Amino acid sequence: MQRRKFLALSSLSLSTITFSSFKSIAPIRKPIVISTWDAGIEANKAAWQILRNGGTALDAVEQGVMVTESSQNCCVGLGANPDRDGFVTLDASIMDHQFNCGSVAFLERIKHPISVARRVMEKTPHVMLVGEGAQQFAVAEGFKLEEKKLSSEAEKSYQNWLKKSEYKPIINIERTKGENAFAPNKLETGEWNHDTIGMIAMDGNGNLSGSCTTSGAGFKMRGRVGDSPIIGAGLFVDNEIGAATATGQGEDVIRICGTHLVVELMRNGLHPEEACKKAVERIIKAKGIEKSKQIQVGFIAINKQGEYGGYCLQKGFNFAVCYADDKNFLEDGKYIL
Ligand code: ASP
């Protein structure tokens, strides 16, 4: 009996040793880049070009999201829906592998807020510049002040919204029936929507960086700033542990310091997906189930092993993952409600 117990125990510990040694020698998946929503596929392509050629994660996450800022996306960059007074105001943040970070908020008429955020990080003693001051800084840095004009689609969308002037978030509205928010039926109703691109990457040297850029929430109150430019809310990177970014209702991400929480959960040993899930659960705990059903929040994260994951409140969130020339694909975020 004793001998049988001994044999059982030793085979158990042998398999534990073998499993954990296997885990620790599992190759690190790098470089890797992941980003929120399906616009992430195009953004990842640009980031991947940099990563595959030995570039830094910082350059990759800047150049990657610039693709989305340049597109006539409803929710990112100057083509996006305006605030309720008819102005497009943009938020962005960037963070590198040494806790350097920069951000801009409530920025108008600048095509690439992410690059201004990077200049704030690299050229000022500050982390965040907002509004007129951010714009002045951008112009002084050589960024062009674009025309004060809505894209024709955003103009239509705004005119429709003005008919009711209702601030009415509808979750995942950009995704219903696979359309974007400028789809004709959305233009008729002028429905409220919001979206963002958040991107996190690890380069060939194993260094992490992240970026996040958005117009925030379409038809928001003038002056509203969401989570995206707030370090620890919309974006956080700790090069020892991992990186995370967020999308969805920014107010609720700020409330729980969402991405900082995700990184801390990874520090405690959770897999990125599990860490994102726990952060989503924290929102439900803070808000209650009924109110949580009315919003969407999604987190994505990577760790130093190149493991990744995403989790969201409601069905409908997806993210793009790229770690090889022929591996750039969309994954549906698992959801709780
Ligand atoms: N998180 C962004 C904000 O609240 C919007 C979004 O991701 O949809 O400003």
Side-chain angles (χ1 to χ4, degrees), residues 194-196 214 216-217 224 226-228 247-250:
H194 61 144
D195 210 345
T196 290
T214 188
R224 182 263 188 192
D227 59 315
S228 309
T247 181
Q249 181 124 313

Side-chain angles (χ1 to χ4, degrees), residues 36-37 75 91 167 174 192-198 212-218 220 224-229 234 246-254 296-298:
T36 55
W37 302 107
C75 317
D91 301 339
Y167 186 73
E174 306 85 349
W192 184 92
N193 58 73
H194 61 144
D195 210 345
T196 290
I197 182 151
C212 191
T213 179
T214 188
S215 65
K220 62 195 172 188
R224 182 263 188 192
V225 169
D227 59 315
S228 309
T247 181
Q249 181 124 313
E251 284 74 3
D252 292 296
V253 177
I254 295 171
Q296 174 66 300
V297 169

Side-chain angles (χ1 to χ4, degrees), residues 61 67 93 110 119 126 129 132 152 170 174 228 248 306 316 320 323:
V61 297
V67 171
S93 64
I110 299 289
R119 297 285 175 95
H126 307 304
L129 291 179
E132 224 180 284
S152 60
I170 303 175
E174 306 85 349
S228 309
Y323 51 82

Side-chain angles (χ1 to χ4, degrees), residues 4-148:
R4 227 181 291 149
K5 243 191 204 166
F6 172 77
L7 285 177
L9 276 172
S10 41
S11 72
L12 185 73
S13 56
L14 186 66
S15 62
T16 315
I17 290 164
T18 315
F19 177 66
S20 54
S21 342
F22 171 74
K23 250 183 108 182
S24 65
I25 55 164
I28 294 173
R29 186 190 278 145
K30 63 178 185 183
I32 178 169
V33 55
I34 71 174
S35 52
T36 55
W37 302 107
D38 45 10
I41 290 283
E42 287 306 309
N44 280 359
K45 280 184 195 164
W48 181 251
Q49 282 315 308
I50 293 170
L51 294 172
R52 76 190 291 273
N53 292 320
T56 64
L58 183 64
D59 285 338
V61 297
E62 180 189 8
Q63 307 260 333
V65 302
M66 282 171 77
V67 171
T68 325
E69 287 180 339
S70 296
S71 66
Q72 286 294 299
N73 188 304
C74 63
C75 317
V76 178
L78 288 176
N81 281 331
D83 65 14
R84 57 175 60 179
D85 291 6
F87 301 99
V88 177
T89 73
L90 304 173
D91 301 339
S93 64
I94 195 159
M95 189 159 185
D96 76 4
H97 60 293
Q98 294 174 314
F99 291 104
N100 296 310
C101 44
S103 77
V104 288
F106 193 42
L107 177 63
E108 293 178 55
R109 298 174 60 191
I110 299 289
K111 190 171 174 190
H112 289 300
I114 196 64
S115 302
V116 186
R118 183 165 176 179
R119 297 285 175 95
V120 172
M121 171 173 98
E122 290 176 340
K123 296 208 164 174
T124 80
H126 307 304
V127 166
M128 188 169 196
L129 291 179
V130 305
E132 224 180 284
Q135 194 188 66
Q136 271 171 19
F137 170 72
V139 171
E141 281 295 308
F143 289 85
K144 182 174 167 221
L145 200 54
E146 304 288 339
E147 238 183 294
K148 202 181 205 163

